[in-house]
Amino acid sequence: MTVSRRFFIQSIATATGGMLLGFHLPLLASARPFQTSESDAAELNAWILIGTDNVITIRVAKSEMGQGVMTALPMIVADELEVDWSLVKVEYADVQEHFQRGKIYQSMKSSGSNGIVRSRPYLQQAGAEAREKLIKAAAETWLVNSDECYADFGKVYHRPSRRSLAYGELAAKAANISVASVEIKKPRDFTMIGLSTPRVDTPAKVDGSAIFGMDVRVDGMVYAAVKHCPVLGGKLRGYRFNAVRSMPGVIAAVRLDNGVAIVADTFWHATQAVEKLPVQWDIGDENKTYSEKFRNEYLAALATPGKVVEAGKGTEAALETAEAILESDYLVPYLAHACMEPMNCTAHVTKDKVEIWAGVQDPEGVVEVAANFTGKPTESIQMHNCYLGGGFGRRSSTDYIKEALTIATDVGLPVQMIWSREDDMRSGQYRPMAALRFKSGVDMDKNVVAFTNHAVSHSIIQDRDGDVPGGIDNSSLMGLIDMPYDFSPRELTATIKNTHVPTWWWRSVSHSQNIFARECFIDELATATKMDPFSFRRKYLAHRPDMLDVLDKLEQVSGWKRRNGGLAKGLAIHESAGTIIAQVAEVSVTDKGTAKVHRIVTVVDCGNLINPNIAKSQIESGVVFGLSAAMYGKITIEQGKVLETNFDTYRVMEMADTPVMETHFHLSSDEKWGGLGEQGVPGVAPAVVNALFNITRRRIRSLPISDYYLSRGR
């Protein structure tokens, strides 16, 4: 008997008195996360279909990984289209159609907090053009001038006669009409954008019908479990399939570059067999590496000259004549993405086509990888994008997709490959390690007269491409090369130092490393100059009135000057993806040495909001993500292996540890559109660390915080 996850939950609920009474948990669902459009619907453009029943289907070309794009992006279209939102349905844009029609959906990649920022202009245009087509179709039907008509709430009206036609009556005609140079709305004219509209994906996630990658079921499907080399960078030498060939359900073994997969009739059978499979590895010298060795090498590299990224004329002379010198080194470890849904992919490779089912951040990238891997044209590759059980940058990589394609090609059957949680943690791709040295000179009047920064970091670009032109990876220097503080002269140097640990983009990219170090050092300068952290930042951000406004708002709403017995506050501010965000953390340390974060207050200036509730959730999810990393996050390498295997050893925030979160939006400009997906992450660690200093007078210059303060036991 094959027992699905949902069947198990449903059975347990019944056995325990109906704890889930009222929830529908279907035992089998289709592979698509949303209904496909009706066959009688007319396509007004690639984004919009309207049926004769007046139902409007809006296609979304970005991946839904919890950030709310399935609601926010359709709201942009709907605002321009002037629709009845209750008649709107949402579906994923088809990746194959995207290629067949010349990449009609612009970019389908979800990364860099740009889903709204980059999509908004052309989504507004799509909605506006469809609206004008409908108006023109109504005018032609009535034989009147289109200037006498207007659209509202899913209908077109004729002002003089007060006649109206619903969109469903006009759609077929409108689909054949062309319009040009349609003007889109200004923010002051929005009617739907800015409203806290309920998320369209919530019901499916509540009733269990939402399809994540692991939920996919295909006729004739078999399952694959993978054993990767325990030493990162190691390769497969050989294995003895005969030792497990006769185990229940086992079908085949498939050689991978750095591992081996067992294919079986159920995932359980595949897992049992792969665990018992005798394997020989080629591990080279990587088994001689340790986290402590990396730490020492990174700190040593700080003392050697790096590549000059920004040369500040007179910096060295200013340091020599300064009244006082302040110098500090900071270090951050490798981190896992730790997505709740482990990496998985279902693939079927036949002579004529390739089908892939997975939750990915870059579906068009997956198609291109599959085309290169199989040698088939992109038109013959169908990518079914599913919901993502956490992305955080990890699911923009295609390493696990290639493994599934390798297995599916070998066995000739549809195969669902799932990494175990342990394999996901030990064989993944990690946020880079980094070490940063800051050095600053201060004169007799406590003014900063020189500022230098040397960054030593693992380069993702070098891992990916094998080369970094000029030896400078700007993606490792976010928050440093664009530092807002007016320190002059200023010098920035950088060193690339890669290890055998594979790296990939992590939520907020290098802002997560660099903002921690930068904002902690800014607090050190404030202390050295005997200035309040807010006052110090205001002094050196005087040329940035937008950042000053955010600081003013934060000081007010956080109660910065209000004393709260036993608690201390810390501050951080940064800017990324066009958004300014400042945070105050309120913390305490118990007599048992436990650090506890009680409250995080955040002020955000992103210019405009599509959906305030979703925006708030984005920021606060980033706070929890960043706080988990700050308090507990680290990947430990011992003899080339990752020691952390699951959430018992790689801790994340639990509900009892999660602080009160207050999020305030201070929107400065109708012309500004900033990202929100990653911006809540980087400022949390420095705000907490700066607050802890205000209690203990002890500087923390490496993470995680739990290395210094005992964390609450399980």
Side-chain angles (χ1 to χ4, degrees), residues 541-700:
L541 293 172
H543 61 295
R544 291 292 306 270
D546 51 352
M547 298 189 95
L548 295 181
D549 286 346
V550 171
L551 285 172
D552 290 345
K553 178 71 172 180
L554 180 62
E555 185 173 25
Q556 172 197 341
V557 297
S558 67
W560 177 260
K561 295 178 180 178
R562 185 175 64 244
R563 293 188 178 277
N564 193 350
L567 304 181
K569 300 183 181 76
L571 167 66
I573 185 170
H574 78 284
E575 181 178 25
S576 63
T579 292
I580 300 168
I581 184 166
Q583 291 161 306
V584 163
E586 199 167 63
V587 308
S588 69
V589 178
T590 69
D591 55 5
K592 295 182 179 180
T594 301
K596 181 170 179 59
V597 182
H598 297 265
R599 181 172 171 245
I600 301 281
V601 183
T602 305
V603 173
V604 184
D605 178 6
C606 56
N608 284 277
L609 294 177
I610 301 297
N611 187 311
N613 273 356
I614 290 177
K616 181 173 181 286
S617 296
Q618 278 283 78
I619 293 299
E620 294 181 355
S621 73
V623 168
V624 174
F625 190 85
L627 192 55
S628 291
M631 295 296 292
Y632 315 117
K634 66 176 177 180
I635 287 296
T636 308
I637 307 297
E638 188 171 295
Q639 291 185 312
K641 303 174 184 177
V642 174
L643 296 188
E644 289 76 19
T645 59
N646 211 316
F647 290 115
D648 57 337
T649 49
Y650 191 87
R651 286 192 60 183
V652 296
M653 294 300 295
E654 298 175 9
M655 194 70 79
D657 298 324
T658 304
V660 172
M661 291 177 283
E662 299 175 18
T663 302
H664 304 266
F665 290 95
H666 179 74
L667 308 178
S668 61
S669 170
D670 283 350
E671 302 303 316
K672 176 178 177 177
W673 294 86
L676 289 176
E678 301 167 294
Q679 283 57 48
V681 177
V684 175
V688 171
V689 167
N690 289 337
L692 287 169
F693 171 78
N694 290 329
I695 293 178
T696 65
R697 313 312 292 177
R698 176 188 183 190
R699 292 288 180 190
I700 295 176

Side-chain angles (χ1 to χ4, degrees), residues 243-441:
V244 300
R245 186 190 296 271
S246 61
M247 289 183 67
V250 170
I251 297 170
V254 179
R255 173 183 284 269
L256 305 171
D257 185 39
N258 67 330
V260 58
I262 292 292
V263 180
D265 59 346
T266 69
F267 183 64
W268 174 254
H269 284 151
T271 300
Q272 293 302 295
V274 83
E275 286 179 356
K276 293 180 171 57
L277 180 70
V279 180
Q280 298 83 44
W281 305 106
D282 183 0
I283 56 176
D285 292 330
E286 281 81 2
N287 67 329
K288 299 176 184 177
T289 57
Y290 295 79
S291 288
E292 191 61 30
K293 181 174 182 287
F294 292 157
R295 177 189 179 94
N296 293 336
E297 290 174 351
Y298 268 64
L299 292 174
L302 288 175
T304 60
K307 298 282 186 178
V308 177
V309 180
E310 180 182 337
K313 185 177 180 180
T315 305
E316 187 175 340
L319 286 171
E320 289 177 356
T321 59
E323 180 70 17
I325 298 292
L326 185 67
E327 181 176 286
S328 295
D329 294 346
Y330 288 84
L331 187 77
V332 294
Y334 289 106
L335 292 178
H337 295 80
C339 304
M340 278 296 171
E341 180 190 17
M343 298 304 106
N344 66 88
C345 175
T346 302
H348 190 197
V349 179
T350 64
K351 180 181 178 181
D352 300 320
K353 64 182 293 190
V354 178
E355 281 198 272
I356 300 168
W357 296 262
V360 300
Q361 291 179 238
D362 186 11
E364 59 181 308
V366 167
V367 169
E368 290 167 346
V369 164
N372 290 332
F373 182 86
T374 63
K376 300 183 190 306
T378 56
E379 306 86 63
S380 67
I381 297 167
Q382 182 66 59
M383 168 67 209
H384 305 275
N385 204 11
C386 304
Y387 282 119
L388 284 68
F392 314 133
R394 179 65 181 91
R395 282 187 159 89
S396 64
S397 174
T398 55
D399 56 331
Y400 61 102
I401 304 294
K402 293 175 185 176
E403 285 195 350
L405 288 169
T406 300
I407 299 165
T409 301
D410 192 275
V411 300
L413 296 167
V415 180
Q416 183 172 91
M417 180 207 70
I418 303 174
W419 289 11
S420 68
R421 169 66 61 203
E422 291 73 18
D423 223 42
D424 191 81
M425 194 71 73
R426 294 178 306 203
S427 306
Q429 297 175 331
Y430 306 93
R431 192 215 54 187
M433 184 178 183
L436 299 101
R437 171 170 292 174
F438 296 92
K439 187 176 182 180
S440 188

Side-chain angles (χ1 to χ4, degrees), residues 122-357:
Y122 56 76
L123 291 181
Q124 277 194 261
Q125 198 68 42
E129 288 178 358
R131 180 192 69 232
E132 292 306 306
K133 286 183 178 183
L134 291 161
I135 289 173
K136 197 170 180 180
E140 290 181 4
T141 301
W142 293 322
L143 301 177
V144 300
N145 193 313
S146 59
D147 291 341
E148 299 175 359
C149 304
Y150 69 97
D152 185 43
F153 209 61
K155 292 183 178 181
V156 177
Y157 294 86
H158 181 231
R159 285 189 182 89
S161 66
R162 298 184 181 180
R163 286 176 290 180
S164 68
L165 286 170
Y167 284 179
E169 300 174 88
L170 297 166
K173 188 171 188 177
N176 297 310
I177 290 175
S178 297
V179 295
S181 303
V182 179
E183 187 175 340
I184 63 175
K185 290 182 181 181
K186 300 294 184 183
R188 63 178 177 272
D189 300 319
F190 292 153
T191 55
M192 187 167 191
I193 292 174
L195 300 179
S196 290
T197 305
R199 290 178 56 145
V200 300
D201 53 322
T202 297
K205 290 176 178 176
V206 170
D207 69 21
S209 60
I211 301 299
F212 293 82
M214 290 173 65
D215 296 322
V216 169
R217 297 294 180 267
V218 179
D219 288 344
M221 186 174 79
V222 294
Y223 298 82
V226 180
K227 177 182 286 188
H228 292 105
C229 181
V231 174
L232 295 172
K235 304 294 182 182
L236 177 69
R237 178 180 296 171
Y239 59 90
R240 290 198 299 115
F241 182 46
N242 285 339
V244 300
R245 186 190 296 271
S246 61
M247 289 183 67
V250 170
I251 297 170
V254 179
R255 173 183 284 269
L256 305 171
D257 185 39
N258 67 330
V260 58
I262 292 292
V263 180
D265 59 346
T266 69
F267 183 64
W268 174 254
H269 284 151
T271 300
Q272 293 302 295
V274 83
E275 286 179 356
K276 293 180 171 57
L277 180 70
V279 180
Q280 298 83 44
W281 305 106
D282 183 0
I283 56 176
D285 292 330
E286 281 81 2
N287 67 329
K288 299 176 184 177
T289 57
Y290 295 79
S291 288
E292 191 61 30
K293 181 174 182 287
F294 292 157
R295 177 189 179 94
N296 293 336
E297 290 174 351
Y298 268 64
L299 292 174
L302 288 175
T304 60
K307 298 282 186 178
V308 177
V309 180
E310 180 182 337
K313 185 177 180 180
T315 305
E316 187 175 340
L319 286 171
E320 289 177 356
T321 59
E323 180 70 17
I325 298 292
L326 185 67
E327 181 176 286
S328 295
D329 294 346
Y330 288 84
L331 187 77
V332 294
Y334 289 106
L335 292 178
H337 295 80
C339 304
M340 278 296 171
E341 180 190 17
M343 298 304 106
N344 66 88
C345 175
T346 302
H348 190 197
V349 179
T350 64
K351 180 181 178 181
D352 300 320
K353 64 182 293 190
V354 178
E355 281 198 272
I356 300 168
W357 296 262

